[in-house]
Amino acid sequence: MSHCSAQTPTRLIVIRGNSASGKSAAAAEIRRRHGRGLAIVGQDNLRRQVLRERDVPGGANIDLIDLTARFALDRGFHAIVEGILCADHYGAMLTALIADHAGLAYAYYLDVPWAETLRRHASKPQAAEYGEDEMRRWFRERDLLPGGLEQIIPASSS
């Protein structure tokens, strides 16, 4: 059973950025405004919760994210794929996912500088789970997908 009307193509939205850049919050707000029929394919959920896997090149979560997004889209759901999704590990998968999607596809990179990343992290519920050292190892300045696929959203954007 399709969740979108027959004439409405599904939408794929990819939201990437460093830790604490607002990816999950943006996805949650889009879902709140849209309602049912929208799948959030979260990297943290699939990699850390479902598989309990470290973020490594060729990790099983890369294919699971791809399969989950494609499944949702094929079943008529709009899909948001969100996470840090560093370009060197996830770039090929995301580029193919975007290219293969028959409906509308949008990709965004939330560009938040290091100092603002730290400030935002301090206000997160999981701030005690990991700190500045871990975040510094994860932080990648302007880690954009190849081919100019992403619209860059600055930290000043609401």
Side-chain angles (χ1 to χ4, degrees):
M1 179 176 168
S2 177
H3 294 273
C4 299
S5 68
Q7 57 270 44
T8 304
T10 56
R11 292 189 172 132
L12 168 63
I13 300 171
V14 176
I15 304 174
R16 300 175 56 250
N18 282 299
S19 182
S21 61
K23 304 169 301 293
S24 298
E29 179 61 17
I30 293 167
R31 175 183 264 169
R32 186 190 70 74
R33 291 181 187 196
H34 183 274
R36 293 192 181 276
L38 185 142
I40 295 177
V41 182
Q43 175 192 17
D44 280 353
N45 182 54
L46 294 177
R47 183 182 65 76
R48 291 170 46 195
Q49 302 301 316
V50 173
L51 297 177
R52 199 163 185 232
E53 179 181 55
R54 295 197 187 280
D55 194 0
V56 295
N61 80 97
I62 298 168
D63 288 339
L64 184 57
I65 291 166
D66 185 52
L67 287 167
T68 305
R70 288 174 189 272
F71 179 88
L73 292 163
D74 288 348
R75 295 296 168 100
F77 289 84
H78 301 296
I80 298 174
V81 176
E82 67 87 11
I84 294 173
L85 300 163
C86 59
D88 59 347
H89 296 183
Y90 299 84
M93 178 272 289
L94 291 170
T95 300
L97 180 63
I98 291 166
D100 292 349
H101 182 55
L104 303 170
Y106 307 92
Y108 302 96
Y109 182 82
L110 305 184
D111 189 22
V112 177
W114 173 244
E116 178 63 10
T117 296
L118 279 181
R119 190 191 71 71
R120 290 181 183 189
H121 172 70
S123 68
K124 290 174 68 173
Q126 61 270 46
E129 292 177 30
Y130 53 89
E132 183 174 346
D133 290 341
E134 292 86 357
M135 292 184 66
R136 189 174 302 280
R137 283 196 309 272
W138 303 333
F139 188 84
R140 294 168 186 219
E141 185 121 10
R142 281 241 165 152
D143 182 40
L144 302 175
L145 293 176
L149 293 174
E150 294 166 298
Q151 179 178 336
I152 299 168
I153 308 293
S156 59
S157 175
S158 62

